Amino acid sequence: MSKSNNKSKTTQFAFPVKLIPYGDISFTEFLNSDGAQLLSTRTLGMNDYHKAVAILSTYQTLEICHAIQQAGHADLLDSDAMQDKIMDAVEKIIFENFDEMLTNFCDERTKLITQIEAKKGGV
């Protein structure tokens, strides 16, 4: 009786992911991203809470994908399994840190508006 040892090899790695908007992707970069541009039309008619979740989720997903690319594993982003893991991670991050993330996001938004107004000669 022979025993077959068919073990599948799994590669695991860790990478740093910071809460938005204080990761590697700046607030301005996010606003200019394709994901943010799509949000402006897809969130029309949503209530404020759902808009906030959509914005924070998209921004945090972009941050995670960037971290994976920086770790040299951009090829993994094409995997459905990895995309599912990313979405699970984003959901967990948003659930555990919603208030802090929303506050930080709004602070960055206010800073950007102030900068724009100052360039225009306003406030």
Side-chain angles (χ1 to χ4, degrees), residues 29-44:
E29 288 173 309
F30 169 69
L31 290 179
N32 292 319
S33 72
D34 291 340
Q37 299 305 312
L38 284 172
L39 277 175
S40 64
T41 56
R42 291 191 177 173
T43 57
L44 290 174

Side-chain angles (χ1 to χ4, degrees), residues 9 12 14 29 32 61 63 78-79 95 99 118:
K9 184 178 180 183
Q12 295 184 357
E29 288 173 309
N32 292 319
T61 301
E63 183 68 35
D78 293 330
S79 159
F95 179 75
D99 291 340

Side-chain angles (χ1 to χ4, degrees), residues 39-59:
L39 277 175
S40 64
T41 56
R42 291 191 177 173
T43 57
L44 290 174
M46 286 185 177
N47 67 37
D48 290 341
Y49 173 77
H50 288 118
K51 282 182 187 179
V53 170
I55 291 167
L56 295 176
S57 296
T58 301
Y59 194 172

Side-chain angles (χ1 to χ4, degrees), residues 21-22 27 99-115:
Y22 300 120
F27 185 75
D99 291 340
E100 177 184 356
M101 292 171 75
L102 185 60
T103 300
N104 294 340
F105 183 89
C106 291
D107 288 347
E108 289 299 307
R109 179 179 169 267
T110 301
K111 287 178 195 174
L112 183 61
I113 290 170
T114 301
Q115 290 171 355

Side-chain angles (χ1 to χ4, degrees), residues 5-22:
N5 286 331
N6 289 338
K7 294 182 181 178
S8 63
K9 184 178 180 183
T10 325
T11 303
Q12 295 184 357
F13 64 93
F15 52 89
V17 174
K18 296 177 185 168
L19 292 181
I20 54 105
Y22 300 120

Side-chain angles (χ1 to χ4, degrees), residues 17 19 53-65 83-97 101:
V17 174
L19 292 181
V53 170
I55 291 167
L56 295 176
S57 296
T58 301
Y59 194 172
Q60 191 66 58
T61 301
L62 184 64
E63 183 68 35
I64 289 173
C65 291
Q83 291 175 18
D84 289 343
K85 287 180 183 183
I86 292 169
M87 294 313 300
D88 290 345
V90 168
E91 185 177 307
K92 184 176 191 267
I93 290 168
I94 298 291
F95 179 75
E96 293 175 354
N97 303 286
M101 292 171 75

